Amino acid sequence: MKNTYIKALLATAALGLFACNAERQTDNSKPEGQKAAAPNIILLIGDGMGVPQVSTAYYFGDEQSNFSEFKHIGLHRTADATHKVTDSAAGATAFSTGEKTYKRAIGVGADSLSRETILEYLQTKGYKTGLISLTTITHATPAAFYAHVTDRDMHEEIAFQLSEANVDFVAGGGRNFFGKRSDGKNLYKSFLGKGYHLDTVALSTPKFDKKNIFLLADESMPAKIEGRGEFLTEATTNALSYFSNNESPFFMMIEESYIDWGGHDTNKEMLISEVEEMDKTLGLVLDFVKKNPNTLLVVTADHETGGVSLGKYLTKDPKTGRMKEDPTQTEVYFDTDQHTAELIPVFAKGVGAENFQGIYENNEIYHKIRMVVDEK
């Protein structure tokens, strides 16, 4: 099975390496003397999503997966500065700062000093910015794009830094870290004082003339199988509508968080349902990219969780008592309930997508995004 899986990884990399001519590139050239418009950047992260997790979209979904839309495909290596097997904090910080750091670090380098994130850099270039997550918005992955702390569990400090970060659209959980703090501070007042539209009850229609923040759970949102509903797709739709009503380019990070949790729980129903949600959200974003070709979409993960593989579905023959294969079904297997060191797929579409082919380190994703932005 290991040899088969390695072959699948190499085949995926080959698709990216040799698909240069399979997709036409958007021509953003301008007449001499004029600068091309700055591209929108959308980074969609499926936390814990490796090649096997993506594969579930093809074996358990009712329709063709939206992952089939990609021609530019690569693989990245997830090891951080201190561990061969990374966590979400170091993994997301590599994406956000372009540097590998130690496990549990948020927005700081291996020396524990702050590093400018891609979100902060793009703000200096006039970009609107957005963050969507199913977890508390102070969780490792979203926090790595706006906060700078030495440990991922410093939720109250991370929340305070969000109140100072001037992010234009925020949606996720985490009410406890903003309104029920040990220091008695009420960060809701801070957001309102800065002119935010704030909603802690429902994912209401965003105010196009204001910054918006939606905090809809005390900590993290429920899993899909626990009744979360359509939060991720609805938040993504609202965010794209919000940014479309502004003339500025935008950067948005969207995290499908519970693919990772499905791996930690070795729960195949959770994993399958969360990948399905990822796929639906991806479809919405791909539609936006088609209508707005001056957009770069990058889809990847910080690491794989669960050592997942797909294999034969075995049942017991009631007559003989022996196990036999059901050729019409596929089973999800877990090798562990922890993160793994597998190479992670990178899917890219839109302006500059060809830069994301090949096999490279996870922190190169930052530099590849910068290359697309800085050449415009």
Side-chain angles (χ1 to χ4, degrees), residues 18-290:
F18 296 106
C20 287
N21 297 320
E23 180 179 287
R24 293 182 179 178
Q25 296 302 301
T26 301
D27 184 3
N28 289 292
S29 61
K30 295 284 185 181
E32 188 174 352
Q34 291 188 26
K35 191 174 182 180
N40 303 314
I41 308 294
I42 303 174
L43 178 58
L44 178 54
I45 297 175
D47 198 313
M49 182 185 73
V51 172
Q53 284 84 348
V54 173
S55 300
T56 65
Y58 290 86
Y59 287 94
F60 296 94
D62 295 329
E63 300 177 1
Q64 180 74 3
S65 171
N66 287 303
F67 284 101
S68 296
E69 292 288 317
F70 292 94
K71 304 301 180 185
H72 297 293
I73 302 169
L75 294 165
H76 74 75
R77 180 173 174 265
T78 63
D80 61 47
T82 59
H83 292 72
K84 295 294 186 184
V85 181
T86 195
D87 74 335
S88 294
T93 296
F95 296 157
S96 70
T97 69
E99 290 188 25
K100 287 180 180 285
T101 189
Y102 60 91
K103 189 179 279 192
R104 302 189 66 82
I106 296 290
V108 299
D111 56 5
S112 298
L113 299 178
S114 296
R115 298 293 192 272
E116 182 182 59
T117 71
I118 188 67
L119 182 149
E120 292 167 332
Y121 172 74
L122 291 176
Q123 284 179 330
T124 70
K125 298 297 182 181
Y127 274 65
K128 300 289 186 181
T129 55
L131 297 167
I132 299 172
S133 179
L134 298 174
T135 61
T136 168
I137 203 66
T138 61
H139 209 266
T141 301
F145 289 87
Y146 65 85
H148 308 274
V149 295
T150 55
D151 189 273
R152 59 185 290 173
D153 283 347
M154 299 169 66
H155 288 281
E156 290 194 354
E157 174 59 25
I158 292 169
F160 174 77
Q161 291 188 28
L162 180 60
S163 73
E164 301 288 314
N166 294 315
V167 180
D168 296 279
F169 187 99
V170 178
R175 287 187 299 237
N176 285 348
F177 305 115
F178 296 87
K180 298 180 180 179
R181 298 167 56 86
S182 61
D183 60 9
K185 292 180 180 178
N186 187 331
L187 296 184
Y188 295 152
K189 292 182 179 179
S190 179
F191 284 109
L192 293 172
K194 292 180 171 67
Y196 273 79
H197 167 60
L198 168 67
D199 199 327
T200 61
V201 177
L203 195 63
S204 53
T205 302
K207 305 294 185 183
F208 296 134
D209 59 343
K210 294 185 175 185
K211 293 178 171 63
N212 293 264
I213 181 166
F214 303 93
L215 301 171
L216 303 186
D218 287 341
E219 292 194 12
S220 294
M221 307 289 290
K224 190 73 174 177
I225 59 175
E226 296 170 336
R228 183 178 70 238
E230 304 302 316
F231 171 83
L232 192 63
T233 54
E234 291 175 359
T236 300
T237 298
N238 285 0
L240 292 174
S241 175
Y242 172 77
F243 289 121
S244 295
N245 275 272
N246 288 275
E247 295 183 357
S248 301
F250 69 88
F251 167 84
M252 178 165 59
M253 190 288 299
I254 308 166
E255 182 196 23
E256 211 305 346
S257 318
Y258 281 91
I259 299 171
D260 173 63
W261 294 27
H264 282 303
D265 288 352
T266 61
N267 185 323
K268 72 174 184 178
E269 287 78 17
M270 181 187 292
L271 187 151
I272 291 167
S273 66
E274 298 296 342
V275 173
E276 181 181 17
E277 185 78 350
M278 175 83 172
D279 205 342
K280 288 174 62 178
T281 305
L282 175 58
L284 293 173
V285 178
L286 284 168
D287 286 343
F288 178 87
V289 175
K290 290 173 185 176

Side-chain angles (χ1 to χ4, degrees), residues 5 9 48-53 76-80 83-88 103 260 263-264 302-309 334-344:
Y5 180 64
L9 279 175
M49 182 185 73
V51 172
Q53 284 84 348
H76 74 75
R77 180 173 174 265
T78 63
D80 61 47
H83 292 72
K84 295 294 186 184
V85 181
T86 195
D87 74 335
S88 294
K103 189 179 279 192
D260 173 63
H264 282 303
D302 43 6
H303 53 74
E304 193 273 346
T305 306
V308 173
S309 61
F334 296 91
D335 286 338
T336 179
D337 62 359
Q338 298 297 309
H339 299 172
T340 70
E342 294 179 9
L343 297 180
I344 296 299

